[in-house]
Amino acid sequence: MLFTLNDLDAAVAVVGTTVKPTPAYAWPLLASRTGAEVIVKHENHTPTGSFKARGGLFYVEKMRRAGALPPGLVTATRGNHGQSIAIGAARAGIPAKIIVPEGNSREKNAAMAAFGGEVIVAGKDFDESREIAAGYQASHGFTFVPSFHPDIVAGVATYAHELFTDHADIDAVLVPVGMGSGICSLITLRDLLGLKTEIWGVVARNAPAFAQSFEAGRPRPTSTARTFADGVACREPQPEALEIILNGAAGILQVGEDEIAEAIRILYTHTHNMAEGAGAAPLAALMGESERFRGKRVALILTGGNIDMPVFRQILSGQTPVA
């Protein structure tokens, strides 16, 4: 287990000072479209517009309470994880260097800087930025914050706790998979609570590393991850996360770029919520697998709403962005 129920209680107390419980609404228009009872967990309603706000807060606070704060933190991100680390570092009074890949979302970069992080553009994609961030740790004495760590997962699990507290009778949860903290928090808490809920991961067909690894039963990196859904643009699955997914997930579903764009449009018209690509991927998967989930009670994790306005405008006009 990545965390215990006592760990989760501690995380709830820490995260709750900044991130209030987000709503989980049943949307009848989504039910009519999919044939399932659809509950959307609105992690787009956190202070950073993403579920990632939770993990960094608990990670940094655990270090502070242990008297182990470093001179500074460095991490790699496409934006949501970096906002969380920037907030946590600012609260602890230490600097945070945030490494982002070339062409990263300008709006996410601006948000990370506003929360106190120093944004450094380096690397052709997330995985290359992660290697650069690890090197920065060695040369500057900062602590490298990975996207997947037990304390980060425990912090993220506070959304799973909220969901299962309000809706313990869910048949299935669909959640996007980037580096694995979201799906692993759901799997771990489900098992701790003894629930029977199926947990399904969702990835972009253009970034299939976790899907291929799940099918192979071992890490299967890919050479590219060219999806406009940057929250799932991973090409190197981490073994610790993959092991938990292999042991606890019902499966990994893949969705195309056009399907993700259509899901963003539907979430806007049916719920009047803005979703980024990764946040809309679970709805895209549900629509693509409607027969599998017909008549069931299904939760979709809308992991974030941080989509750049030009991209959102393009999608609303009926187009699909090209990564």
Side-chain angles (χ1 to χ4, degrees), residues 113-169:
F115 283 123
E118 180 184 344
V119 178
I120 301 170
V121 179
K124 68 180 181 182
D125 60 14
F126 167 75
D127 292 286
E128 190 169 292
S129 294
R130 185 174 59 188
E131 295 173 4
I132 294 169
Y136 192 100
Q137 168 189 240
S139 60
H140 290 73
F142 281 25
T143 291
F144 173 68
V145 185
S147 298
F148 191 90
H149 182 279
D151 291 337
I152 288 176
V153 178
V156 167
T158 57
Y159 89 66
H161 176 262
E162 294 166 11
L163 178 64
F164 289 140
T165 297
D166 292 340
H167 303 280
D169 55 346

Tab-separated table of all heavy atoms in Angstrom, residues 113-169:
chain	number	residue	atom	x	y	z
A	113	ALA	N	4.094	30.559	-12.390
A	113	ALA	CA	4.865	31.725	-11.967
A	113	ALA	C	4.080	32.546	-10.957
A	113	ALA	O	4.633	33.059	-9.973
A	113	ALA	CB	5.236	32.576	-13.178
A	114	ALA	N	2.774	32.686	-11.170
A	114	ALA	CA	1.940	33.464	-10.253
A	114	ALA	C	1.888	32.832	-8.870
A	114	ALA	O	1.793	33.539	-7.856
A	114	ALA	CB	0.529	33.603	-10.822
A	115	PHE	N	1.972	31.502	-8.809
A	115	PHE	CA	1.962	30.817	-7.516
A	115	PHE	C	3.335	30.813	-6.852
A	115	PHE	O	3.492	30.272	-5.751
A	115	PHE	CB	1.460	29.382	-7.672
A	115	PHE	CG	-0.028	29.264	-7.829
A	115	PHE	CD1	-0.582	28.641	-8.941
A	115	PHE	CD2	-0.889	29.773	-6.864
A	115	PHE	CE1	-1.956	28.528	-9.087
A	115	PHE	CE2	-2.260	29.658	-7.003
A	115	PHE	CZ	-2.802	29.041	-8.111
A	116	GLY	N	4.350	31.375	-7.504
A	116	GLY	CA	5.660	31.517	-6.886
A	116	GLY	C	6.757	30.666	-7.456
A	116	GLY	O	7.890	30.714	-6.973
A	117	GLY	N	6.483	29.875	-8.489
A	117	GLY	CA	7.520	29.037	-9.081
A	117	GLY	C	8.318	29.785	-10.132
A	117	GLY	O	7.815	30.706	-10.773
A	118	GLU	N	9.580	29.410	-10.306
A	118	GLU	CA	10.391	29.935	-11.395
A	118	GLU	C	10.323	28.945	-12.556
A	118	GLU	O	10.809	27.823	-12.451
A	118	GLU	CB	11.844	30.125	-10.970
A	118	GLU	CG	12.721	30.678	-12.089
A	118	GLU	CD	14.184	30.786	-11.714
A	118	GLU	OE1	14.510	30.727	-10.507
A	118	GLU	OE2	15.024	30.904	-12.642
A	119	VAL	N	9.703	29.351	-13.649
A	119	VAL	CA	9.482	28.468	-14.784
A	119	VAL	C	10.696	28.512	-15.711
A	119	VAL	O	11.124	29.582	-16.148
A	119	VAL	CB	8.215	28.861	-15.551
A	119	VAL	CG1	8.018	27.961	-16.760
A	119	VAL	CG2	6.992	28.783	-14.630
A	120	ILE	N	11.257	27.334	-16.007
A	120	ILE	CA	12.413	27.201	-16.885
A	120	ILE	C	12.026	26.293	-18.045
A	120	ILE	O	11.619	25.144	-17.839
A	120	ILE	CB	13.617	26.601	-16.129
A	120	ILE	CG1	13.987	27.488	-14.928
A	120	ILE	CG2	14.808	26.421	-17.063
A	120	ILE	CD1	15.000	26.849	-13.995
A	121	VAL	N	12.115	26.797	-19.268
A	121	VAL	CA	11.761	26.017	-20.450
A	121	VAL	C	12.989	25.236	-20.911
A	121	VAL	O	14.002	25.816	-21.289
A	121	VAL	CB	11.249	26.926	-21.582
A	121	VAL	CG1	10.901	26.091	-22.807
A	121	VAL	CG2	10.042	27.728	-21.124
A	122	ALA	N	12.879	23.901	-20.870
A	122	ALA	CA	14.011	23.042	-21.264
A	122	ALA	C	13.505	21.637	-21.535
A	122	ALA	O	12.841	21.037	-20.684
A	122	ALA	CB	15.079	23.020	-20.173
A	123	GLY	N	13.810	21.121	-22.713
A	123	GLY	CA	13.406	19.768	-23.066
A	123	GLY	C	12.363	19.761	-24.166
A	123	GLY	O	11.518	20.647	-24.237
A	124	LYS	N	12.421	18.728	-25.018
A	124	LYS	CA	11.488	18.649	-26.141
A	124	LYS	C	10.120	18.120	-25.726
A	124	LYS	O	9.129	18.345	-26.418
A	124	LYS	CB	12.072	17.776	-27.249
A	124	LYS	CG	12.181	16.302	-26.887
A	124	LYS	CD	12.772	15.484	-28.022
A	124	LYS	CE	12.854	13.993	-27.655
A	124	LYS	NZ	13.467	13.190	-28.723
A	125	ASP	N	10.059	17.362	-24.613
A	125	ASP	CA	8.785	16.877	-24.099
A	125	ASP	C	8.928	16.664	-22.595
A	125	ASP	O	9.997	16.918	-22.006
A	125	ASP	CB	8.329	15.596	-24.801
A	125	ASP	CG	9.305	14.427	-24.645
A	125	ASP	OD1	10.211	14.504	-23.794
A	125	ASP	OD2	9.151	13.440	-25.380
A	126	PHE	N	7.841	16.193	-21.951
A	126	PHE	CA	7.866	16.066	-20.498
A	126	PHE	C	8.980	15.149	-20.016
A	126	PHE	O	9.702	15.469	-19.057
A	126	PHE	CB	6.520	15.537	-19.981
A	126	PHE	CG	6.574	15.086	-18.549
A	126	PHE	CD1	6.618	16.005	-17.516
A	126	PHE	CD2	6.632	13.731	-18.237
A	126	PHE	CE1	6.703	15.587	-16.194
A	126	PHE	CE2	6.717	13.308	-16.916
A	126	PHE	CZ	6.749	14.244	-15.898
A	127	ASP	N	9.142	14.009	-20.652
A	127	ASP	CA	10.127	13.041	-20.168
A	127	ASP	C	11.547	13.586	-20.264
A	127	ASP	O	12.381	13.322	-19.391
A	127	ASP	CB	9.987	11.731	-20.942
A	127	ASP	CG	8.674	11.030	-20.624
A	127	ASP	OD1	8.552	10.471	-19.527
A	127	ASP	OD2	7.767	11.078	-21.465
A	128	GLU	N	11.829	14.379	-21.300
A	128	GLU	CA	13.149	14.995	-21.399
A	128	GLU	C	13.305	16.092	-20.349
A	128	GLU	O	14.383	16.248	-19.753
A	128	GLU	CB	13.364	15.561	-22.803
A	128	GLU	CG	14.795	15.992	-23.062
A	128	GLU	CD	15.059	16.290	-24.533
A	128	GLU	OE1	15.029	15.337	-25.328
A	128	GLU	OE2	15.283	17.470	-24.851
A	129	SER	N	12.254	16.841	-20.090
A	129	SER	CA	12.300	17.862	-19.034
A	129	SER	C	12.549	17.227	-17.672
A	129	SER	O	13.253	17.788	-16.828
A	129	SER	CB	10.987	18.652	-19.011
A	129	SER	OG	10.813	19.407	-20.193
A	130	ARG	N	11.988	16.033	-17.477
A	130	ARG	CA	12.186	15.330	-16.210
A	130	ARG	C	13.658	14.964	-16.019
A	130	ARG	O	14.203	15.079	-14.911
A	130	ARG	CB	11.317	14.072	-16.189
A	130	ARG	CG	11.353	13.309	-14.876
A	130	ARG	CD	10.375	12.175	-14.900
A	130	ARG	NE	10.648	11.239	-15.995
A	130	ARG	CZ	9.849	10.243	-16.317
A	130	ARG	NH1	8.717	10.059	-15.669
A	130	ARG	NH2	10.171	9.418	-17.311
A	131	GLU	N	14.319	14.545	-17.082
A	131	GLU	CA	15.746	14.228	-16.994
A	131	GLU	C	16.562	15.483	-16.678
A	131	GLU	O	17.518	15.441	-15.888
A	131	GLU	CB	16.210	13.605	-18.311
A	131	GLU	CG	15.586	12.255	-18.620
A	131	GLU	CD	15.953	11.751	-20.004
A	131	GLU	OE1	16.758	12.436	-20.680
A	131	GLU	OE2	15.441	10.700	-20.413
A	132	ILE	N	16.190	16.596	-17.277
A	132	ILE	CA	16.888	17.861	-17.023
A	132	ILE	C	16.691	18.296	-15.583
A	132	ILE	O	17.630	18.759	-14.916
A	132	ILE	CB	16.397	18.939	-18.006
A	132	ILE	CG1	16.818	18.567	-19.435
A	132	ILE	CG2	16.921	20.314	-17.620
A	132	ILE	CD1	16.171	19.413	-20.503
A	133	ALA	N	15.482	18.137	-15.066
A	133	ALA	CA	15.195	18.517	-13.681
A	133	ALA	C	16.013	17.673	-12.708
A	133	ALA	O	16.529	18.179	-11.704
A	133	ALA	CB	13.704	18.362	-13.395
A	134	ALA	N	16.162	16.380	-13.006
A	134	ALA	CA	16.964	15.515	-12.140
A	134	ALA	C	18.421	15.964	-12.127
A	134	ALA	O	19.092	15.942	-11.088
A	134	ALA	CB	16.849	14.071	-12.599
A	135	GLY	N	18.922	16.410	-13.275
A	135	GLY	CA	20.282	16.926	-13.332
A	135	GLY	C	20.438	18.229	-12.577
A	135	GLY	O	21.474	18.488	-11.954
A	136	TYR	N	19.405	19.058	-12.605
A	136	TYR	CA	19.424	20.320	-11.869
A	136	TYR	C	19.551	20.051	-10.368
A	136	TYR	O	20.254	20.760	-9.656
A	136	TYR	CB	18.137	21.098	-12.158
A	136	TYR	CG	18.151	22.529	-11.689
A	136	TYR	CD1	18.408	23.568	-12.586
A	136	TYR	CD2	17.896	22.863	-10.363
A	136	TYR	CE1	18.414	24.882	-12.176
A	136	TYR	CE2	17.899	24.177	-9.938
A	136	TYR	CZ	18.157	25.186	-10.850
A	136	TYR	OH	18.173	26.490	-10.434
A	137	GLN	N	18.880	19.005	-9.907
A	137	GLN	CA	18.977	18.635	-8.494
A	137	GLN	C	20.429	18.381	-8.108
A	137	GLN	O	20.922	18.883	-7.092
A	137	GLN	CB	18.154	17.371	-8.241
A	137	GLN	CG	18.408	16.727	-6.880
A	137	GLN	CD	17.747	15.373	-6.756
A	137	GLN	OE1	16.912	15.167	-5.901
A	137	GLN	NE2	18.133	14.437	-7.605
A	138	ALA	N	21.125	17.626	-8.936
A	138	ALA	CA	22.503	17.259	-8.613
A	138	ALA	C	23.428	18.469	-8.607
A	138	ALA	O	24.351	18.554	-7.794
A	138	ALA	CB	23.009	16.224	-9.610
A	139	SER	N	23.186	19.437	-9.484
A	139	SER	CA	24.111	20.560	-9.617
A	139	SER	C	23.795	21.726	-8.678
A	139	SER	O	24.655	22.550	-8.408
A	139	SER	CB	24.097	21.070	-11.066
A	139	SER	OG	22.809	21.511	-11.445
A	140	HIS	N	22.555	21.807	-8.149
A	140	HIS	CA	22.162	22.948	-7.332
A	140	HIS	C	21.807	22.590	-5.887
A	140	HIS	O	21.537	23.475	-5.084
A	140	HIS	CB	20.967	23.668	-7.970
A	140	HIS	CG	21.306	24.403	-9.229
A	140	HIS	ND1	21.563	23.752	-10.421
A	140	HIS	CD2	21.433	25.728	-9.484
A	140	HIS	CE1	21.824	24.649	-11.355
A	140	HIS	NE2	21.763	25.841	-10.825
A	141	GLY	N	21.763	21.315	-5.565
A	141	GLY	CA	21.452	20.921	-4.204
A	141	GLY	C	19.984	20.994	-3.853
A	141	GLY	O	19.610	20.883	-2.673
A	142	PHE	N	19.125	21.182	-4.850
A	142	PHE	CA	17.688	21.184	-4.613
A	142	PHE	C	17.186	19.733	-4.555
A	142	PHE	O	17.847	18.817	-5.029
A	142	PHE	CB	16.950	21.925	-5.726
A	142	PHE	CG	16.994	23.429	-5.617
A	142	PHE	CD1	18.023	24.067	-4.943
A	142	PHE	CD2	16.014	24.206	-6.193
A	142	PHE	CE1	18.073	25.443	-4.851
A	142	PHE	CE2	16.040	25.592	-6.111
A	142	PHE	CZ	17.075	26.211	-5.432
A	143	THR	N	16.009	19.541	-3.980
A	143	THR	CA	15.379	18.230	-3.968
A	143	THR	C	14.485	18.087	-5.192
A	143	THR	O	13.636	18.947	-5.454
A	143	THR	CB	14.546	18.032	-2.690
A	143	THR	OG1	15.425	17.941	-1.569
A	143	THR	CG2	13.722	16.747	-2.768
A	144	PHE	N	14.690	17.019	-5.944
A	144	PHE	CA	13.852	16.749	-7.115
A	144	PHE	C	12.532	16.139	-6.655
A	144	PHE	O	12.513	15.158	-5.914
A	144	PHE	CB	14.569	15.793	-8.061
A	144	PHE	CG	13.710	15.322	-9.203
A	144	PHE	CD1	13.307	16.204	-10.195
A	144	PHE	CD2	13.299	13.998	-9.276
A	144	PHE	CE1	12.516	15.772	-11.243
A	144	PHE	CE2	12.520	13.561	-10.324
A	144	PHE	CZ	12.126	14.459	-11.311
A	145	VAL	N	11.439	16.728	-7.091
A	145	VAL	CA	10.108	16.233	-6.739
A	145	VAL	C	9.562	15.438	-7.927
A	145	VAL	O	9.279	16.025	-8.974
A	145	VAL	CB	9.140	17.380	-6.398
A	145	VAL	CG1	7.801	16.802	-5.929
A	145	VAL	CG2	9.737	18.292	-5.337
A	146	PRO	N	9.396	14.143	-7.791
A	146	PRO	CA	8.850	13.364	-8.903
A	146	PRO	C	7.346	13.591	-9.018
A	146	PRO	O	6.700	14.082	-8.087
A	146	PRO	CB	9.158	11.919	-8.492
A	146	PRO	CG	9.136	11.966	-6.993
A	146	PRO	CD	9.694	13.308	-6.616
A	147	SER	N	6.793	13.211	-10.141
A	147	SER	CA	5.337	13.294	-10.306
A	147	SER	C	4.633	12.187	-9.538
A	147	SER	O	3.436	12.301	-9.241
A	147	SER	CB	4.969	13.197	-11.791
A	147	SER	OG	5.527	14.266	-12.518
A	148	PHE	N	5.387	11.120	-9.207
A	148	PHE	CA	4.801	9.989	-8.486
A	148	PHE	C	5.631	9.726	-7.242
A	148	PHE	O	6.819	9.414	-7.325
A	148	PHE	CB	4.765	8.746	-9.370
A	148	PHE	CG	3.952	7.620	-8.803
A	148	PHE	CD1	2.610	7.514	-9.095
A	148	PHE	CD2	4.529	6.688	-7.962
A	148	PHE	CE1	1.841	6.479	-8.559
A	148	PHE	CE2	3.782	5.654	-7.416
A	148	PHE	CZ	2.434	5.552	-7.726
A	149	HIS	N	4.993	9.872	-6.075
A	149	HIS	CA	5.641	9.666	-4.780
A	149	HIS	C	4.537	9.319	-3.791
A	149	HIS	O	3.413	9.840	-3.897
A	149	HIS	CB	6.364	10.950	-4.354
A	149	HIS	CG	7.111	10.840	-3.063
A	149	HIS	ND1	6.496	10.947	-1.834
A	149	HIS	CD2	8.427	10.632	-2.806
A	149	HIS	CE1	7.390	10.816	-0.881
A	149	HIS	NE2	8.569	10.617	-1.441
A	150	PRO	N	4.792	8.449	-2.807
A	150	PRO	CA	3.732	8.056	-1.873
A	150	PRO	C	3.022	9.234	-1.206
A	150	PRO	O	1.790	9.199	-1.036
A	150	PRO	CB	4.476	7.195	-0.839
A	150	PRO	CG	5.592	6.593	-1.619
A	150	PRO	CD	6.032	7.653	-2.592
A	151	ASP	N	3.760	10.273	-0.825
A	151	ASP	CA	3.110	11.417	-0.178
A	151	ASP	C	2.276	12.226	-1.165
A	151	ASP	O	1.235	12.781	-0.804
A	151	ASP	CB	4.156	12.315	0.482
A	151	ASP	CG	4.820	11.661	1.680
A	151	ASP	OD1	4.214	10.745	2.269
A	151	ASP	OD2	5.967	12.041	2.011
A	152	ILE	N	2.731	12.303	-2.410
A	152	ILE	CA	1.927	12.972	-3.436
A	152	ILE	C	0.653	12.180	-3.690
A	152	ILE	O	-0.450	12.752	-3.784
A	152	ILE	CB	2.737	13.150	-4.732
A	152	ILE	CG1	3.798	14.238	-4.535
A	152	ILE	CG2	1.828	13.494	-5.909
A	152	ILE	CD1	4.714	14.448	-5.712
A	153	VAL	N	0.768	10.861	-3.775
A	153	VAL	CA	-0.410	10.032	-4.003
A	153	VAL	C	-1.379	10.131	-2.824
A	153	VAL	O	-2.597	10.191	-3.020
A	153	VAL	CB	-0.009	8.569	-4.265
A	153	VAL	CG1	-1.253	7.697	-4.459
A	153	VAL	CG2	0.885	8.466	-5.499
A	154	ALA	N	-0.855	10.179	-1.603
A	154	ALA	CA	-1.736	10.324	-0.432
A	154	ALA	C	-2.482	11.652	-0.481
A	154	ALA	O	-3.669	11.727	-0.142
A	154	ALA	CB	-0.913	10.212	0.851
A	155	GLY	N	-1.798	12.714	-0.903
A	155	GLY	CA	-2.476	13.996	-1.037
A	155	GLY	C	-3.550	13.959	-2.098
A	155	GLY	O	-4.674	14.441	-1.901
A	156	VAL	N	-3.217	13.370	-3.243
A	156	VAL	CA	-4.183	13.235	-4.331
A	156	VAL	C	-5.373	12.381	-3.904
A	156	VAL	O	-6.517	12.626	-4.314
A	156	VAL	CB	-3.495	12.628	-5.574
A	156	VAL	CG1	-4.513	12.182	-6.608
A	156	VAL	CG2	-2.525	13.640	-6.187
A	157	ALA	N	-5.122	11.398	-3.054
A	157	ALA	CA	-6.187	10.486	-2.617
A	157	ALA	C	-7.295	11.187	-1.847
A	157	ALA	O	-8.358	10.597	-1.630
A	157	ALA	CB	-5.600	9.360	-1.767
A	158	THR	N	-7.070	12.432	-1.449
A	158	THR	CA	-8.156	13.149	-0.770
A	158	THR	C	-9.352	13.331	-1.702
A	158	THR	O	-10.493	13.389	-1.236
A	158	THR	CB	-7.682	14.512	-0.235
A	158	THR	OG1	-7.142	15.305	-1.304
A	158	THR	CG2	-6.595	14.323	0.835
A	159	TYR	N	-9.128	13.407	-3.028
A	159	TYR	CA	-10.299	13.493	-3.921
A	159	TYR	C	-11.002	12.141	-4.009
A	159	TYR	O	-12.242	12.075	-4.106
A	159	TYR	CB	-9.912	14.040	-5.298
A	159	TYR	CG	-9.467	13.076	-6.365
A	159	TYR	CD1	-10.326	12.133	-6.921
A	159	TYR	CD2	-8.170	13.138	-6.874
A	159	TYR	CE1	-9.912	11.275	-7.933
A	159	TYR	CE2	-7.744	12.293	-7.886
A	159	TYR	CZ	-8.623	11.356	-8.415
A	159	TYR	OH	-8.200	10.518	-9.411
A	160	ALA	N	-10.228	11.056	-3.972
A	160	ALA	CA	-10.835	9.728	-3.971
A	160	ALA	C	-11.657	9.521	-2.705
A	160	ALA	O	-12.754	8.939	-2.739
A	160	ALA	CB	-9.741	8.662	-4.079
A	161	HIS	N	-11.135	10.033	-1.591
A	161	HIS	CA	-11.858	9.943	-0.316
A	161	HIS	C	-13.186	10.678	-0.397
A	161	HIS	O	-14.229	10.173	0.049
A	161	HIS	CB	-10.975	10.520	0.795
A	161	HIS	CG	-11.637	10.567	2.137
A	161	HIS	ND1	-12.221	11.716	2.636
A	161	HIS	CD2	-11.809	9.611	3.087
A	161	HIS	CE1	-12.728	11.468	3.819
A	161	HIS	NE2	-12.494	10.213	4.121
A	162	GLU	N	-13.174	11.864	-0.963
A	162	GLU	CA	-14.415	12.627	-1.117
A	162	GLU	C	-15.414	11.877	-2.000
A	162	GLU	O	-16.606	11.795	-1.686
A	162	GLU	CB	-14.111	13.995	-1.737
A	162	GLU	CG	-13.282	14.906	-0.855
A	162	GLU	CD	-12.708	16.097	-1.603
A	162	GLU	OE1	-13.131	16.326	-2.765
A	162	GLU	OE2	-11.842	16.783	-1.052
A	163	LEU	N	-14.917	11.324	-3.100
A	163	LEU	CA	-15.790	10.630	-4.040
A	163	LEU	C	-16.425	9.402	-3.399
A	163	LEU	O	-17.648	9.205	-3.478
A	163	LEU	CB	-14.994	10.226	-5.281
A	163	LEU	CG	-15.764	9.437	-6.346
A	163	LEU	CD1	-16.890	10.273	-6.943
A	163	LEU	CD2	-14.813	8.953	-7.442
A	164	PHE	N	-15.610	8.560	-2.776
A	164	PHE	CA	-16.142	7.331	-2.192
A	164	PHE	C	-16.990	7.593	-0.955
A	164	PHE	O	-17.871	6.790	-0.630
A	164	PHE	CB	-15.000	6.370	-1.865
A	164	PHE	CG	-14.342	5.759	-3.074
A	164	PHE	CD1	-12.964	5.588	-3.121
A	164	PHE	CD2	-15.091	5.351	-4.157
A	164	PHE	CE1	-12.350	5.016	-4.230
A	164	PHE	CE2	-14.494	4.778	-5.274
A	164	PHE	CZ	-13.117	4.603	-5.313
A	165	THR	N	-16.751	8.701	-0.264
A	165	THR	CA	-17.589	9.050	0.884
A	165	THR	C	-18.994	9.425	0.426
A	165	THR	O	-19.995	9.027	1.036
A	165	THR	CB	-16.972	10.220	1.667
A	165	THR	OG1	-15.703	9.817	2.194
A	165	THR	CG2	-17.868	10.643	2.820
A	166	ASP	N	-19.066	10.177	-0.670
A	166	ASP	CA	-20.365	10.626	-1.173
A	166	ASP	C	-21.062	9.580	-2.033
A	166	ASP	O	-22.293	9.559	-2.118
A	166	ASP	CB	-20.184	11.907	-1.999
A	166	ASP	CG	-19.775	13.098	-1.155
A	166	ASP	OD1	-19.982	13.054	0.071
A	166	ASP	OD2	-19.236	14.066	-1.724
A	167	HIS	N	-20.283	8.702	-2.685
A	167	HIS	CA	-20.843	7.745	-3.641
A	167	HIS	C	-20.142	6.395	-3.496
A	167	HIS	O	-19.365	5.984	-4.369
A	167	HIS	CB	-20.690	8.257	-5.071
A	167	HIS	CG	-21.316	9.594	-5.318
A	167	HIS	ND1	-22.668	9.760	-5.539
A	167	HIS	CD2	-20.778	10.836	-5.360
A	167	HIS	CE1	-22.932	11.038	-5.728
A	167	HIS	NE2	-21.813	11.712	-5.617
A	168	ALA	N	-20.431	5.697	-2.421
A	168	ALA	CA	-19.745	4.430	-2.145
A	168	ALA	C	-20.210	3.307	-3.067
A	168	ALA	O	-19.552	2.265	-3.161
A	168	ALA	CB	-19.961	4.023	-0.689
A	169	ASP	N	-21.340	3.488	-3.748
A	169	ASP	CA	-21.920	2.419	-4.561
A	169	ASP	C	-21.617	2.570	-6.045
A	169	ASP	O	-22.366	2.102	-6.899
A	169	ASP	CB	-23.431	2.362	-4.352
A	169	ASP	CG	-24.104	3.707	-4.625
A	169	ASP	OD1	-23.383	4.720	-4.718
A	169	ASP	OD2	-25.346	3.734	-4.747
